[in-house]
Amino acid sequence: MSHDVRLALLDAAEAQERLRPLDTAFARFLAEQDAGADAAWLLLAALLSRRVADGHLCLDLSLWEPLAEEQAWPAAWRDAVTRILREDHPPAWIASCDGASPLVLDGARLYLRRYWNHERQVAQAILDRLALPHAAPVHLREELARLFPGDASPDWPRVACALAARGAFTVITGGPGTGKTTTVVRLLGLWQTLRLRDGERPLRIRLAAPTGKAAARLHASIQGQLARLDVDDTTRAAIPAQVDTLHRLLGARPDTRHFRHDAGHPLPLDVLVIDEASMVDLEMMSAVLAALPPNARLVLLGDKDQLSSVEAGAVLGDLCRRAEAGHYGQDTAAWLRAVAGDDVTPWVAPDARPLDQQVVMLRHSHRFGADSGIGRLAQAVNAGDVDGVRLLFASPQPDIAWITRTAGPSDLAELVLHGGAERFADDGDTPAGYRGYLELLRRERPAPGADQDTHALWARHVLEAFGRFQLLCALRRGPYGTEGLNRQVEEILQRARLIDPVHHWYEGRPVLVTRNDYQLGLMNGDVGIALRVPGADGELRLRVAFLAAGTDGAEEGRIRFVLPSRLGELETVYAMTVHKSQGSEFEHTALVLPDQTSGVLTRELLYTGITRARRRFTLLSADAVVERSAKQLTLRHSGLRERLLGPSVPGPHP
């Protein structure tokens, strides 16, 4: 149908790279099914395909004119679409919520049917759980006082536990170091204590996270918290530390979008806790909710201000859109005063909704104190306060530095080799860029004839040293993306004679697993380093060392050596995208931004990159790029929030 004049708009949009070939191919398919469809409707179908690829669930047609103006669409295209929207006669392949058309027009929102179905299913499943009659346990007040002995009010972790104890759905959000994991461990201790105190069997609890890296971090954090939890040994033993990836929990079926556990074969559990929920896309959330038993409790943990999922949707963001202001009802406030002694009056609102009553934001960071440059920088970026960002960097700060020009070769080399040490106060423990782990690799190399345990200990030290410093970037391609930066870093390290990348695999090469490999037990996000270790015959051979995630406690901290040829999808990881870094932390993070602004550079990306750093943060960017990024919010088109905010104010709670 190349002669079809209706496709001229698509051809022009693709030529200008406003649409991908996949988008126009989708619209061409629709054109073949409907010879009478207006060209403007075909253009909207292609644009919807593109918007879904960018993470949106739908195309909000009420925003068409400002969107077209912002993206500088040609006037003829804008006029054509505006005309058909006013006529309100969509083609047959767009239905209004019924039928089996590939597209659905729901009010002013245009969806691919699959995402329309997922959005409705997620909203209904959450509303159903919010409506479940969970009475507050008899001894709740007594146990809350024991687990939270302080007098502070409101004690937000205590508020979170109190509200979760009476509901089947709870969201706990907060920035880095606000105690999300500590809170959920206390919540699990509270639930199990109350169950065992009443003589009932312990709750069947499962813990999950979107990636292997996030699962490993949650596992380690929970293990540390359990030892300090004020419960008896029987209760402590009933709180699991094992953490699964969501794919493993649901039982992913190879090469399909389906899982072993679904509505017909639900998960055998009473409570599910999902960490790093900002990374969970709409389709995965739909699968999780479908697989939950009707009366099971679901707790979502995450930072609402982090980047949204790579795939379509911003579920946690939609759930937490009103979390800052609380929006609690008068009845909820009175109940919290009576049960927990917490006064949330400043967060009461007349337009309270059932969802609001089960969302709690933790507000005090224990990681970043009042004098922390990293903490104040994250707050300024979150507020879009560009002047505040500039003032922070202009005044002496012990933990943040800004190279206020696009990263040149000397700037990058200084970071890679020395970690920008001269820009920070010398405390004797500043991560030395990537030189540190490579020098340790040579310095601690086991003597000839050393046994496997000695080599495993050496590999552990190398991996730990590598994990102290990380370059982050916004893009995959281009000189400031992972591909370009990884090449530049290799060249810098080669000139410094720290690596010898004659071949694709060389000793010291760090790699990132980009797809779950259940056969090898490696998860998306796992990092390994190529090292020469003795084989069965005693000869040194290149193997990739990984630190076993130990999410089930069985292999906690064990080093695994894997043949490079056995590894599937992976990439060199001197530079990592901010998206890939979610669920990870590094002592020193350096964020390299491109020299031109783009839709990828947003406030959420800056915030997420900054908060990956524990002790040091370096920004390499032009001033204008930082200003534009801090002002650009990620607003994914979605109808989920509106579906969840029902019209009624919640009634009295038990």
Side-chain angles (χ1 to χ4, degrees), residues 47-187:
L47 180 58
L48 171 60
S49 172
R50 176 56 192 261
R51 298 291 278 178
V52 169
D54 291 338
H56 300 272
L57 295 180
C58 59
L59 177 60
D60 191 336
L61 299 179
S62 68
L63 302 175
W64 159 252
E65 291 190 8
L67 174 66
E69 184 175 349
E70 176 192 337
Q71 297 185 349
W73 283 71
W77 302 5
R78 295 203 301 267
D79 293 344
V81 172
T82 301
R83 173 181 54 80
I84 63 165
L85 293 181
R86 287 173 180 164
E87 292 173 357
D88 195 26
H89 294 298
W93 37 266
I94 298 179
S96 296
C97 306
D98 55 2
S101 60
L103 277 70
V104 175
L105 186 60
D106 191 344
R109 295 187 176 94
L110 183 63
Y111 292 84
L112 295 176
R113 179 169 291 276
R114 179 158 61 92
Y115 289 102
W116 180 73
N117 283 331
H118 287 320
E119 185 179 274
R120 287 191 313 144
Q121 290 160 2
V122 166
Q124 191 57 56
I126 291 174
L127 290 172
D128 288 346
R129 289 182 188 284
L130 290 171
L132 284 176
H134 273 276
V138 175
H139 302 290
L140 178 59
R141 181 175 182 177
E142 177 186 341
E143 292 299 333
L144 282 172
R146 186 175 60 80
L147 286 170
F148 296 91
D151 296 327
S153 177
D155 183 329
W156 290 108
R158 183 169 59 209
V159 169
C161 288
L163 293 177
R166 68 172 190 180
F169 179 79
T170 307
V171 180
I172 302 174
T173 188
T178 51
K180 294 185 292 294
T181 306
T182 303
T183 300
V184 83
V185 169
R186 289 190 184 185
L187 173 60

Side-chain angles (χ1 to χ4, degrees), residues 18 26 28 69 110 141 163 168 256 269 345 395 421 456 466 496 622:
R18 297 172 183 272
F26 174 59
R28 287 175 184 275
E69 184 175 349
L110 183 63
R141 181 175 182 177
L163 293 177
T256 76
L269 53 76
T345 302
S395 57
F466 175 79

Side-chain angles (χ1 to χ4, degrees), residues 265-317:
H265 185 200
L267 291 160
L269 53 76
D270 302 304
V271 175
L272 175 61
V273 175
I274 300 177
D275 194 21
E276 297 289 355
S278 64
M279 301 167 67
V280 182
D281 61 85
L282 182 78
E283 186 171 3
M284 175 58 78
M285 188 62 74
S286 179
V288 168
L289 288 164
L292 283 182
N295 292 313
R297 300 175 189 255
L298 176 62
V299 179
L300 303 181
L301 304 178
D303 186 343
K304 67 180 180 62
D305 297 314
Q306 277 192 190
L307 281 168
S308 298
S309 57
V310 175
E311 302 297 331
V315 178
L316 187 70

Side-chain angles (χ1 to χ4, degrees), residues 329-561:
Q330 292 284 359
D331 58 319
T332 296
W335 184 82
L336 284 170
R337 277 195 299 271
V339 171
D342 288 301
D343 182 7
V344 297
T345 302
W347 292 271
V348 167
D351 61 339
R353 296 292 186 268
L355 173 64
D356 300 323
Q357 315 314 298
Q358 294 303 123
V359 177
V360 180
M361 179 175 170
L362 308 184
R363 301 162 191 265
H364 175 67
S365 176
H366 302 279
R367 183 193 306 173
F368 302 132
D371 61 343
S372 165
I374 295 174
R376 287 184 290 161
L377 179 62
Q379 290 175 356
V381 165
N382 232 352
D385 182 4
V386 178
D387 290 337
V389 170
R390 293 193 180 106
L391 284 172
L392 276 169
F393 280 116
S395 57
Q397 302 289 337
D399 56 350
I400 60 175
W402 186 3
I403 302 174
T404 54
R405 60 182 183 277
T406 302
S410 60
D411 298 318
L412 188 61
E414 192 270 330
L415 259 181
V416 167
L417 295 176
H418 307 292
E422 78 279 2
R423 300 177 187 273
F424 298 104
D426 184 11
D427 60 4
D429 196 29
T430 300
Y434 289 132
R435 176 190 290 274
Y437 92 92
L438 291 166
E439 289 183 340
L440 184 144
L441 184 157
R442 295 178 177 181
R443 185 173 63 251
E444 294 192 7
R445 185 188 300 278
D451 60 20
Q452 189 171 4
D453 288 345
T454 302
H455 280 87
L457 181 61
W458 168 62
R460 178 198 303 279
H461 290 168
V462 173
L463 282 163
E464 290 172 349
F466 175 79
R468 297 182 66 198
F469 174 79
Q470 183 65 55
L471 280 179
L472 297 180
C473 55
L475 309 171
R476 288 187 53 80
R477 294 180 175 82
Y480 303 102
T482 54
E483 294 176 358
L485 284 172
N486 277 318
R487 284 195 299 271
Q488 293 180 63
V489 171
E490 283 187 331
E491 291 168 1
I492 291 167
L493 296 175
Q494 185 177 24
R495 286 196 299 270
R497 298 184 178 182
L498 290 167
I499 62 171
D500 185 17
V502 175
H503 303 290
H504 181 62
W505 282 104
Y506 56 87
E507 187 168 47
R509 181 192 177 198
V511 294
L512 177 77
V513 176
T514 58
R515 186 173 183 178
N516 293 344
D517 187 330
Y518 294 105
Q519 188 173 12
L520 290 177
L522 296 175
M523 299 292 111
N524 181 8
D526 285 350
V527 172
I529 294 180
L531 299 172
R532 295 195 177 278
V533 295
D537 58 1
E539 292 294 321
L540 291 179
R541 289 184 172 81
L542 205 64
R543 298 289 186 270
V544 184
F546 292 91
L547 186 64
T551 53
D552 60 359
E555 293 188 330
E556 180 71 23
R558 185 174 71 84
I559 294 293
R560 301 182 58 223
F561 293 105

